[in-house]
Amino acid sequence: MPTEAPIYIETKHLMSSLRIYLEFDESMTDEEKEIYNISDVTVYAKTSAKINIADGTVIANGYNNKIIPYDEGDCYRAIIVPQKNISVSICALGVTHTFDSDVTLQPNTLHNLTINITKDKLTTDITFGIGEWNENTEDNSGSIGIPNLKENIKFS
């Protein structure tokens, strides 16, 4: 039966949103940044899930698969099945460096991962932001080391 007032229906995201930022040390020159030749940002996570439509529960299953995030210019972005334990890799100096995280990606939540690139090593800080998604305030920081970096590249 028709009503005079509009009916409001609220939905939520069942997937997680992941944004990956690459940040260079402020002391690095543009020339030094170019030497790193950062490429191939990749996420490894489960890409299939069982979804209970009645209660919105999402359970990731299967194996980790390669996910190529969308390059938005200032960050890389991917929509991912909610799950625990993902990996993110980047190629720097022609070598792939991988960060294994035990972060729990929650449904309807935006997760920000910042990979800090310095002359000595890569480090990662996972922070959580607010968007059209819920906010998660857990801290899941970690590091990616680049062995022999100082020996391979000479900075002035």
Side-chain angles (χ1 to χ4, degrees):
M1 176 170 278
T3 64
E4 291 185 24
I7 298 172
Y8 176 74
I9 299 174
E10 182 175 314
T11 62
K12 65 178 185 172
H13 301 278
L14 293 179
M15 299 293 116
S16 297
S17 180
L18 178 65
R19 283 192 303 207
I20 302 166
Y21 294 93
L22 304 179
E23 291 188 6
F24 287 92
D25 186 300
E26 291 178 8
S27 68
M28 295 175 70
T29 66
D30 289 339
E31 182 180 89
E32 290 171 334
K33 292 174 188 178
E34 285 183 33
I35 291 172
Y36 279 84
N37 190 26
I38 303 294
S39 62
D40 299 327
V41 176
T42 307
V43 176
Y44 294 92
K46 293 178 177 138
T47 55
S48 63
K50 291 189 178 191
I51 300 173
N52 182 326
I53 303 271
D55 66 8
T57 304
V58 179
I59 299 172
N61 58 28
Y63 301 97
N64 284 356
N65 291 299
K66 183 178 186 177
I67 300 168
I68 308 295
Y70 176 72
D71 183 352
E72 290 190 334
D74 66 335
C75 70
Y76 296 84
R77 189 161 188 158
I79 302 297
I80 299 179
V81 173
Q83 61 194 280
K84 186 174 174 107
N85 302 328
I86 65 165
S87 297
V88 177
S89 68
I90 67 167
C91 184
L93 303 170
V95 178
T96 300
H97 304 276
T98 302
F99 171 67
D100 295 318
S101 172
D102 63 355
V103 62
T104 300
L105 298 177
Q106 297 292 331
N108 199 38
T109 305
L110 170 62
H111 301 270
N112 293 315
L113 167 64
T114 302
I115 299 175
N116 298 299
I117 302 163
T118 67
K119 293 179 184 179
D120 298 324
K121 63 180 179 178
L122 299 178
T123 60
T124 58
D125 297 313
I126 295 180
T127 55
F128 299 93
I130 305 171
E132 296 177 22
W133 302 75
N134 290 337
E135 179 180 9
N136 184 332
T137 57
E138 289 182 42
D139 181 12
N140 295 283
S141 299
S143 296
I144 301 174
I146 302 178
N148 302 319
L149 179 61
K150 286 185 178 178
E151 295 172 14
N152 294 331
I153 294 182
K154 304 296 182 206
F155 293 103
S156 50

